Amino acid sequence: MEAEVLAAARTGDQRAWDAIVDRYTGLLWSVARSFRLDAADAADVVQLTWLRLVEHLDDVVDPDRLGAWLATTVRRECLQLLRRRRERPAAVDDWLASVPDPGPPVDARMLRVERDAGLWRALHTLSGRCQQLLRVLMAVPPPSYADVSAALDMPIGGIGPARQRCLAALRRALDETPLSPGDRRDG
């Protein structure tokens, strides 16, 4: 099926492109966010990855490995962005950070944020490798192990055991992480 969709995309079929984007966008975002990029940088990296696919569409030899190709490409784009950032000093004028959010009031999101705060704090106590793995595995729709393998440069056979170890470490961290006054563990 991937071969048919990819072939249709090569001819400019918009439905084929939409199907590819729908299937792999969650994976690309998960990989980008696993590098701890902010939303704007992650969006740039994901967009660049789609551009790379357009530029190299005819170079994708094995259509069944398209997810792995995209995961590898987004990982490389993240690494390039981080390299460029190290080479270039940060902008002094980060005025956008001071602009108020025009979104819904904080009350609408407060309960969810409070509930998730303990989980994220516990996640950040894990090793970088565990954080990356769990973030990629949280993609919607869930990526295949082949895609995860390509995204994290990890053998497929090691993903399941590593996932179990990381989840066990996360459970321990949740038990050990003190809650702030607003955090709740009710579900």
Side-chain angles (χ1 to χ4, degrees):
M1 176 157 147
E2 292 289 340
E4 295 167 5
V5 172
L6 199 56
R10 285 181 177 131
T11 66
D13 182 337
Q14 187 60 47
R15 285 183 302 206
W17 276 108
D18 291 344
I20 292 170
V21 169
D22 288 346
R23 177 165 179 162
Y24 293 109
T25 294
L27 171 67
L28 298 182
W29 271 93
S30 292
V31 172
R33 293 301 291 220
S34 77
F35 281 84
R36 291 186 162 185
L37 301 179
D38 62 26
D41 286 340
D44 288 345
V45 167
V46 168
Q47 191 73 348
L48 273 171
T49 302
W50 290 121
L51 176 63
R52 298 293 178 248
L53 178 59
V54 170
E55 293 172 344
H56 298 281
L57 194 56
D58 293 329
D59 299 338
V60 177
V61 179
D62 185 358
D64 291 329
R65 303 264 312 140
L66 178 60
W69 188 94
L70 287 166
T72 299
T73 303
V74 74
R75 185 167 42 96
R76 288 178 181 160
E77 292 296 338
C78 289
L79 292 171
Q80 266 188 339
L81 175 79
L82 293 172
R83 247 189 316 274
R84 284 191 309 265
R85 185 175 288 151
R86 274 194 307 263
E87 295 167 0
R88 184 178 72 225
V92 177
D93 266 348
D94 194 14
W95 63 272
L96 281 178
S98 64
V99 174
D101 184 1
V106 175
D107 313 295
R109 295 178 284 174
M110 187 180 298
L111 291 176
R112 181 175 40 90
V113 169
E114 286 179 359
R115 185 190 66 215
D116 294 347
L119 175 64
W120 286 110
R121 247 192 324 281
L123 181 73
H124 289 294
T125 66
L126 301 180
S127 70
R129 193 69 170 157
C130 275
Q131 289 182 42
Q132 281 187 322
L133 177 62
L134 293 177
R135 282 178 179 265
V136 169
L137 290 172
M138 287 190 306
V140 176
S144 69
Y145 271 21
D147 294 342
V148 173
S149 173
L152 300 178
D153 196 26
M154 171 184 257
I156 290 177
I159 295 171
R163 176 183 172 267
Q164 287 178 329
R165 285 190 300 276
C166 292
L167 287 174
L170 182 60
R171 283 186 200 100
R172 284 191 304 275
L174 278 169
D175 290 339
E176 297 167 3
T177 302
L179 295 172
S180 66
D183 293 340
R184 299 180 0 199
R185 286 192 193 164
D186 58 353

